[in-house]
Amino acid sequence: MSTQDHRDAGLPANVRAELLLREMTLEEKVDQLSAEWPWNLVRADGSDAEGAEDVLKRAPGHVAGLTADDPQRLARLTGAIQRQYVTRTRLGIPALIHQEALSGFLAGGHMVFPTGTGLAAAWSPELVEEMADLVRRQMRRVGFRQALSPVMDVALDPRWGRVHETYGEDPYLAAAMSVAYTRGLQGEDLSDGVIATAKHFVGYGLASGGINLSAYEGGARRTRDLFAYPFEASIQLAGLRSVMNAYADVDGVPAGISREVLTDLLRGELGFEGFVSSDYMTLEHVVSRQHAAATPGEAGRLAVTAGLDVELPKAYGYGDALVAEVERGALDVKDVDVCVLRVLRAKFELGLFENPYPVERIDLDATRAEGGPLSRELARRAVVLARNDDLLPLSPGELAIAVIGPHADVTAPHFPTYTYPAWREMTLRMAQGELGNQVGTEPGMDSWNDELFPPVEQETFLRERYGARTLADAVSDFAPAVLVERGSTLTSAPGPEALDRVVAAARRSDVVVLALGGASLWFTGERTEGEASDSADISLPPAQVALAEAVAATGKPLVVVLVQGRAYALPEAVRNAAAVVVAPYGGPFGPTAIAEVLFGAVNPSGKLPYSIPRHTGQIPVYHHQHAGTGYRNPLPPGVDRLYLDLEATPQYPFGHGLSYTGFALDDPSGDTRIDMDGSARISATVTNTGAADGTAVLQLYVRASASGVTRPAQQLAGFARVELTAGESRRVTFRLAAGQLGHTTVARDFAVEPGQVEYFLGFDSDDRRLSGSFALVGERRVLTSAQRSFLSEVRIDRV
């Protein structure tokens, strides 16, 4: 018999959680730590699924994998599930329903935004926060309260297929975007927010060999100072409430069962107070792939004592297996209680007990249009002009344009994994057995998918539901004559007839737009990136190289457009093109944004969130390599390059991106001495020296040396997007706190140490326009996570 004391909304969430815990049986506690598929609870029409009554006897505390084409229908399904939980279970504890939201809420009828590296290329955290705020409102509207986003991994190896999900190679930029996303999603008060779930703790962006799921080989310093940085910043600055473990081993222990990772580091050092959600099937991986436990029960016991609070998407090591571990005395129920309290507190903080249901009516047209202007603006800001020999911008209305290549006349590649259209397509393929799965292994799943996701040809779906257009469509808005030839696919070389058509189209044109790049899909189909889609060689595929060489040989003015989520090593025909444009998987407005940049309707302001190497063999080539490491090594005497056969520097450095106007940087000033709890002010004037309005992205880099350990030869420490009309100047001032310069010392504590700090200001990571230094003076200062500084303050003033 429950006392119902926990229903008092006037009590703090942690008190209510404690009161509810006292009423719970062991089985009810354990059930709060696992999830259930929606089709085992309700049918697609909202009625009870076969066997739902048995599921509700245990009522797992979370629901996984719920989505639909129609927001109104999705809300009805959410409401039906919550009514089951609230009215037909002993304690009436609502479910916490989650979904992906990396590039917008992964549900039909909602806007899609650029992928992670696209958001990062915009260097606009304020717009990322605005996007996440919209996602918050959309998810709450249909009854979802947890997003399995954002991806905070720092991606240092472009061979890894999941780079596009991240914010790139730099921990500072990733932290700025992660903090913005977390703030927007969780809101000022979690009772009106959605829980953000940071992926994947920790080191997942540096998998051995670039192969997904592989071990992370990194020491404690690198783990804390580099890979944990975006997570720690989001914990301290935005109150991050959930973290998802990495699949990888960390120092030989799977992260999902590592107490050192999930408790000592995450909670003890970084100050995390939320709950840890497992990546899907983590504990099955622990048993069957990593062989770090012999049974599900052992894996579950190790996970609970490590600090893994919730197992997703179904009970494997938790559920009955975990009950058995407690009953046989192998696991103390108090360890289970700690996990349960974290989950219950979150549910109370979210207001689920007072308001578990979605809204009753949803305006489908208004919902579909929400975020359209924002998605378009982010897509525009994400386009990077990497090279321009005065060919761009093209003149609208005057030229015959040949749009050639695998990205010329398709829309689907602009919607990568972790967008709803890509997820939907994967689901349809899975239903047809294309993923090598045994169709029907989940009872109720087939009929659920058949009703909720009727087959529609992908290009038709994208055009009708999202208004998506191809690059050729978008170019036709500006050019009187557009010739379109795909030539090759992403990976299949053009045949002789196709190649003849490509060459003929190029020769008939005034300018060729050669649309190359990649595609990200889930496990199947023609792709170059994506989850479990890694590459030993990051060169542009041979089929596209052959196409580029044939087009270049015509001698026509050539613009290469690279649609990609990660770096590709580029062939000579691309490197030598008159113009090179790099665009992310931009969603419905990606192709239009590219065309607007090509014809000057938008002055490009995108900056690369990753370095682009000259060759796969250069990896790693990220800009913040330690002093004396990689291409940051000094040249030996009498040697003019670090490799015998190639320059060691990137083809295009991190932060690179050109404009149709010019920018000058002058009049530097800065503090020359600060103490251990002070801040350095560093200023310069940015001037638009051209005839066009434009946006400069001013970047501040620092080098702080230390006693006894090496540190990055340079690290990003601040940035500012500065919008300037032609001839206009603005004064930009960075305020860099000493607490932002801390590191794990030779004594293995985290501290700020006295010394000389060098800095430079420029428009990319190799642009040392202005430089200076300041002395950091005083006694060595050991910092807790709460005492750290993470992001510099920026002020922009009129001159």
Side-chain angles (χ1 to χ4, degrees):
M1 179 70 72
S2 172
T3 65
Q4 299 294 308
D5 290 345
H6 63 277
R7 296 285 178 181
D8 184 353
L11 295 174
N14 63 321
V15 174
R16 297 177 72 184
E18 290 274 7
L19 291 170
L20 179 53
L21 184 72
R22 296 174 191 172
E23 308 297 325
M24 300 174 75
T25 66
L26 174 60
E27 287 78 6
E28 287 170 333
K29 292 176 181 178
V30 167
D31 292 339
Q32 283 300 303
L33 308 182
S34 61
E36 185 54 83
W37 295 117
W39 49 81
N40 292 330
L41 290 160
V42 295
R43 293 188 175 91
D45 63 3
S47 63
D48 276 9
E50 183 178 352
E53 200 61 44
D54 291 334
V55 175
L56 290 170
K57 289 176 183 177
R58 297 295 297 267
H62 308 256
V63 174
L66 176 58
T67 192
D69 281 354
D70 179 352
Q72 184 67 69
R73 188 172 200 174
L74 184 59
R76 285 198 295 268
L77 291 171
T78 306
I81 290 170
Q82 292 291 28
R83 278 188 291 275
Q84 288 177 329
Y85 273 69
V86 171
T87 66
R88 294 164 59 184
T89 62
R90 187 178 77 88
L91 294 173
I93 302 173
L96 184 54
I97 303 175
H98 66 254
Q99 188 49 273
E100 305 285 351
L102 172 66
S103 300
F105 180 27
L106 199 150
H110 296 87
M111 185 55 61
V112 173
F113 297 88
T115 195
T117 50
L119 298 175
W123 292 62
S124 301
E126 73 285 356
L127 295 191
V128 171
E129 183 170 348
E130 185 179 338
M131 179 196 84
D133 178 72
L134 173 61
V135 171
R136 174 187 64 82
R137 289 180 274 120
Q138 291 174 333
M139 292 186 76
R140 287 187 64 92
R141 184 184 298 150
V142 295
F144 287 67
R145 303 295 178 86
Q146 182 183 5
L148 304 187
S149 303
V151 175
M152 297 188 186
D153 298 314
V154 180
L156 301 188
D157 192 332
R159 295 174 298 179
W160 184 45
R162 301 188 71 175
V163 168
H164 77 84
E165 300 172 36
T166 77
Y167 297 129
E169 73 177 39
D170 186 85
Y172 183 97
L173 181 61
M177 299 300 167
S178 297
V179 168
Y181 186 105
T182 303
R183 282 175 172 162
L185 191 74
Q186 294 189 169
E188 294 184 4
D189 187 323
L190 205 57
S191 64
D192 193 37
V194 169
I195 286 175
T197 306
K199 301 177 179 179
H200 304 83
F201 199 77
V202 61
Y204 200 52
L206 189 59
S208 293
I211 299 173
N212 195 47
L213 307 183
S214 296
Y216 158 63
E217 306 291 349
R221 289 187 181 86
R222 190 180 216 188
T223 302
R224 167 70 190 272
D225 297 1
L226 196 165
F227 290 105
Y229 193 89
F231 296 87
E232 187 176 8
S234 299
I235 291 165
Q236 296 298 336
L237 300 182
L240 176 69
R241 300 301 291 148
S242 186
V243 164
M244 178 176 283
N245 67 277
Y247 285 123
D249 305 352
V250 178
D251 194 23
V253 180
I257 59 170
S258 173
R259 184 172 181 83
E260 185 177 5
V261 168
L262 298 183
T263 295
D264 298 345
L265 175 59
L266 180 61
R267 298 186 186 281
E269 292 190 50
L270 308 189
F272 179 65
E273 296 181 348
F275 66 90
V276 177
S277 306
S278 85
D279 206 341
Y280 278 23
M281 301 174 67
T282 285
L283 298 188
E284 292 175 68
H285 283 256
V286 167
V287 174
S288 63
R289 180 175 64 85
Q290 293 157 303
H291 302 288
T295 66
E298 182 186 4
R301 170 168 49 84
L302 292 171
V304 165
T305 55
L308 186 79
D309 299 304
V310 177
E311 182 184 15
L312 303 176
K314 289 269 289 184
Y316 170 79
Y318 287 10
D320 289 339
L322 203 60
V323 170
E325 290 294 298
V326 174
E327 290 180 339
R328 74 182 184 88
L331 178 65
D332 193 328
V333 70
K334 291 181 181 178
D335 292 325
V336 175
D337 288 350
V338 170
C339 298
V340 177
L341 282 171
R342 291 172 184 148
V343 171
L344 293 178
R345 184 179 66 180
K347 290 187 175 185
F348 283 118
E349 288 174 334
L350 287 164
L352 266 175
F353 285 80
E354 287 70 49
N355 182 27
Y357 299 113
V359 301
E360 293 184 0
R361 295 186 62 82
I362 295 174
D363 186 326
L364 299 183
D365 290 337
T367 298
R368 188 179 300 113
E370 283 177 331
L374 176 59
S375 180
R376 186 168 191 155
E377 179 62 18
L378 281 165
R380 287 168 167 166
R381 293 190 183 192
V383 177
V384 176
L385 179 61
R387 174 183 170 92
N388 187 22
D389 290 345
D390 296 324
L391 177 60
L392 297 180
L394 302 174
S395 299
E398 297 180 6
L399 302 171
I401 307 292
V403 183
I404 294 169
H407 278 281
D409 61 350
V410 290
T411 63
H414 293 271
F415 295 81
T417 55
Y418 293 95
T419 63
Y420 180 73
W423 180 91
R424 190 184 193 279
E425 182 71 4
M426 181 269 291
T427 299
L428 294 175
R429 289 173 179 259
M430 184 172 64
Q432 298 163 4
E434 290 189 27
L435 301 189
N437 57 295
Q438 182 181 349
V439 178
T441 54
E442 271 290 334
M445 182 180 178
D446 291 345
S447 59
W448 170 278
N449 287 343
D450 289 345
E451 185 166 344
L452 286 180
F453 312 111
V456 180
E457 197 274 328
Q458 180 78 326
E459 287 290 315
T460 301
F461 181 81
L462 294 173
R463 287 176 179 273
E464 292 180 352
R465 300 295 182 92
Y466 294 92
R469 308 174 72 209
T470 68
L471 181 57
D473 292 335
V475 168
S476 68
D477 291 342
F478 298 93
V482 177
L483 309 172
V484 183
E485 289 289 343
R486 187 175 300 181
S488 75
T489 69
L490 293 172
T491 58
S492 297
E497 292 184 1
L499 206 56
D500 287 344
R501 291 195 300 271
V502 163
V503 170
R507 287 175 174 162
R508 289 165 53 200
S509 69
D510 296 311
V511 174
V512 176
V513 173
L514 182 58
L516 307 174
S520 167
L521 297 174
W522 258 303
F523 314 119
T524 189
E526 190 182 32
R527 64 201 186 277
T528 60
E529 303 177 38
E531 195 164 352
S533 299
D534 312 307
S535 300
D537 183 356
I538 64 164
S539 299
L540 205 63
Q544 298 186 51
V545 174
L547 188 66
E549 290 173 344
V551 172
T554 66
K556 289 291 184 175
L558 177 60
V559 180
V560 175
V561 173
L562 297 166
V563 180
Q564 59 187 50
R566 59 153 174 91
Y568 290 79
L570 306 174
E572 183 178 5
V574 172
R575 295 196 307 270
N576 293 340
V580 177
V581 170
V582 179
Y585 304 129
F589 302 105
T592 298
I594 294 168
E596 289 174 332
V597 165
L598 295 181
F599 287 90
V602 169
N603 192 346
S605 62
K607 297 284 187 175
L608 289 174
Y610 47 76
S611 304
I612 296 182
R614 301 171 190 273
H615 189 277
T616 299
Q618 289 179 272
I619 297 170
V621 74
Y622 54 89
H623 82 92
H624 50 88
Q625 295 180 52
H626 277 214
T629 296
Y631 80 96
R632 297 299 180 194
N633 258 320
L635 291 171
V639 174
D640 62 359
R641 60 171 66 183
L642 291 171
Y643 292 120
L644 290 175
D645 55 348
L646 193 72
E647 295 290 340
T649 55
Q651 184 71 43
Y652 299 114
F654 170 83
H656 172 72
L658 306 176
S659 171
Y660 294 146
T661 190
F663 300 104
L665 190 61
D666 55 24
D667 194 21
S669 67
D671 294 328
T672 58
R673 177 186 174 97
I674 66 169
D675 59 29
M676 288 296 176
D677 57 2
S679 297
R681 289 176 173 80
I682 300 168
S683 301
T685 298
V686 185
T687 301
N688 182 342
T689 59
D693 298 348
T695 299
V697 180
L698 180 60
Q699 300 160 43
L700 168 66
Y701 294 86
V702 302
R703 183 179 74 186
S705 299
S707 175
V709 298
T710 59
R711 298 195 65 189
Q714 64 181 54
Q715 58 192 96
L716 182 66
F719 62 88
R721 279 183 57 93
V722 188
E723 297 182 358
L724 298 163
T725 58
E728 185 182 15
S729 297
R730 292 289 180 98
R731 186 73 173 168
V732 180
T733 301
F734 295 96
R735 183 175 179 181
L736 176 66
Q740 194 176 316
L741 301 173
H743 71 289
T744 302
T745 70
V746 72
R748 295 199 179 278
D749 53 16
F750 194 90
V752 180
E753 295 184 323
Q756 197 74 11
V757 178
E758 299 177 359
Y759 64 82
F760 70 88
L761 293 163
F763 298 119
D764 66 42
S765 59
D766 281 350
D767 180 21
R768 298 172 177 263
R769 300 275 179 113
L770 301 176
S771 61
S773 66
F774 60 87
L776 188 54
V777 300
E779 294 296 319
R780 177 176 178 275
R781 182 185 175 206
V782 176
L783 299 175
T784 66
S785 185
Q787 293 170 327
R788 287 192 68 181
S789 297
F790 297 93
L791 303 175
S792 57
E793 298 178 14
V794 180
R795 178 173 172 174
I796 302 174
D797 295 308
R798 294 185 182 276
V799 175

